[in-house]
Amino acid sequence: MLNPHVRNFFRVYLDLERGYENTGYLRPTLLSCKDSYVDLIRTGFEQIMSDTDFGPAEYEGLTDIEFPDKETLDAYLQDMYDYLFGDAPEQPMPPGQPESPDHLLHRRTPA
């Protein structure tokens, strides 16, 4: 069972509305939280990535974002983990939905 705080993180920051926004603020926002919360989210990502039963349907249930297969989802989750907790230069984008002009209007570069 996924921790409620981890579920909420996915629902708030990686849902259909925000998952396709690459503003550059997600990592700084997360890392500005208490270390215990950051560790909880890291552990949640690790739990999801190691769970062989967690697939596209489960991710869609959390975020409303569809993935075509488990391999694509696994690659995205690893890329997101590397962005949030490693040194990946930018937030990965989920597949499937091209950027609309509305998303481009909201794209900003962090100060």
Side-chain angles (χ1 to χ4, degrees):
M1 190 68 156
L2 203 54
N3 180 292
H5 295 291
V6 176
R7 285 175 110 29
N8 189 55
F9 178 84
F10 277 85
R11 288 188 189 280
V12 170
Y13 294 106
L14 300 176
D15 69 337
L16 183 58
E17 183 179 335
R18 288 170 218 85
Y20 290 94
E21 292 180 351
N22 185 355
T23 61
Y25 289 108
L26 183 55
R27 178 172 39 207
T29 298
L30 175 61
L31 297 181
S32 72
C33 295
K34 290 183 177 183
D35 289 345
S36 60
Y37 180 76
V38 174
D39 289 341
L40 181 70
I41 301 304
R42 180 191 328 262
T43 301
F45 261 88
E46 291 167 355
Q47 177 186 354
I48 286 171
M49 292 187 307
S50 67
D51 183 352
T52 57
D53 293 328
F54 189 91
E58 289 74 22
Y59 193 81
E60 184 178 358
L62 284 175
T63 65
D64 294 325
I65 295 176
E66 296 180 37
F67 277 79
D69 52 53
K70 183 160 176 45
E71 293 76 23
T72 305
L73 174 60
D74 289 346
Y76 170 77
L77 289 172
Q78 183 63 58
D79 289 347
M80 183 61 74
Y81 182 90
D82 293 344
Y83 167 72
L84 291 173
F85 308 108
D87 58 1
E90 66 179 35
Q91 179 178 333
M93 299 293 285
Q97 180 175 332
E99 289 189 32
S100 70
D102 289 343
H103 284 108
L104 294 174
L105 290 174
H106 298 296
R107 181 173 285 191
R108 296 177 295 236
T109 305

